Amino acid sequence: MNKKFLDLGLQPLANNYVNKFNKNQIKYNLKLFFNTQTKMVSISKRIPSEMMFTNNYPYRSSMSKTMRSSFYKLSLEIKKKFKPQSILEIGSNDGALIKNFNKNNIIGVEPCKNLAQITKKMGYITYNDYWTYPLAKKIKIKNKKIDLIYSANTLTHISNLNEVFKSITYLLSDKGILIIEDPSLLECIKKNSYDQFYNEHIYLFSATSVKDLLKKFNLEIFDIKNLETHGGTLRYYIKRKSDRTIPISKNVNKQIKKEIIFGLNKFSRFQKFSKKVLLSKIKLLNILNKLKKRKETVVGYGATAKAVTVLNYCNINNDLISNFIDTTPEKINKYIPGKNIKILKYNKKILDNYHYVFLGAWNFKKEIFNKEKNFLKKGGKFITHVPVPKIF
Ligand code: JHZ
């Protein structure tokens, strides 16, 4: 049974940056549910993939050092541990992972044309398509079976998980490995980062819910890693149940135990979270309104999908945060979805024009602090809403 625990109000499509602010930009109700049987957390309103993952999708995985380095490290691990002959990446984005592999070993699947074109130009076979069963069939005709399938921050974006895993098991070799990574529900609830919820994140996975989900497909998790990326990510290493050559790491039960102790299997935990989200909104607005009264200027750093949830839920407009800055070409000079806040092109001196920086990309705090040492030295201050709104 699906039980509602949070209503984040009317929200525009998170990555729908627009050329001109339009107060009538289409918005959808963002409500969050917990399934008491499967322990899966999901949003209610499902937007068709074609509306979200367009031919001009602005999110690029390669925009941060942190992500480039995370993908590079994983590529070394894959080569050393699993030595796959053939690899498939679902949601290959701008090639942040696949560029670390030989062109003959890896295939990308990417529905957004602008991104698929990047990896095609780099010389990698890229299917510019959504991950579906017919696509898996098409790939199998040409490539037979695949030894390793990888997918980061993509499977949670697809509504029909049955088709997702049916297609994966169809294509994966008998001793094949599936590696997936997505934001960790445990970290999200612990950090009160309600901004992990937006239209693209149809599900927020936990080890508990993934274990349950995989049963139907005769798949099982054999290892789990906690990563710092995206504010707390879980990387799941998955195999077929029939493959008994790989032992199950203790990390799997350890993670599930941690989740159960924290209460991720109980609705009451999510009700508590929902109360904390409301307090977070009040606190953040207090901080920003005080700064406004003192005529202090605030700029947002990183026009993230997550920030779209925060700004729309808290109804923050350009009187509180005058602009955002970002390095992504596709976002520059556009407006934050649903808000009259313009995104400016990042340059090294731009922070000198503001007193405070709101960390839209709080998940890259380390990288950003490193980059902005001068602003900090000059007494510049940051604002974050995670885990509690504060100036620091
Ligand atoms: P970042 C996206 O979410 C959407 P977002 C998607 N649905 C998803 O699941 C996750 O990614 C994985 C900018 N930036 O990664 C670049 C700077 O300008 O937190 C990006 O626009 N300067 C697919 O959007 C944004 O911040 C910098 O120095 O929440 C970061 O976006 C750095 C480090 C980043 O994902």
Side-chain angles (χ1 to χ4, degrees), residues 51-69:
M51 282 176 72
M52 300 190 282
F53 308 110
T54 60
N55 288 338
N56 202 14
Y57 187 69
Y59 179 75
R60 307 251 300 253
S61 311
S62 296
M63 281 294 122
S64 80
K65 242 190 202 168
T66 315
M67 290 315 294
R68 289 195 299 272
S69 136

Side-chain angles (χ1 to χ4, degrees), residues 59 157 198 200-201 230 305-306 326-328 331 363 371:
Y59 179 75
H157 296 54
Y198 48 91
E200 290 179 13
H201 285 178
H230 291 297
K306 296 183 288 294
D326 203 286
T327 51
T328 315
K331 295 182 185 177
N363 44 315
K371 228 163 113 180

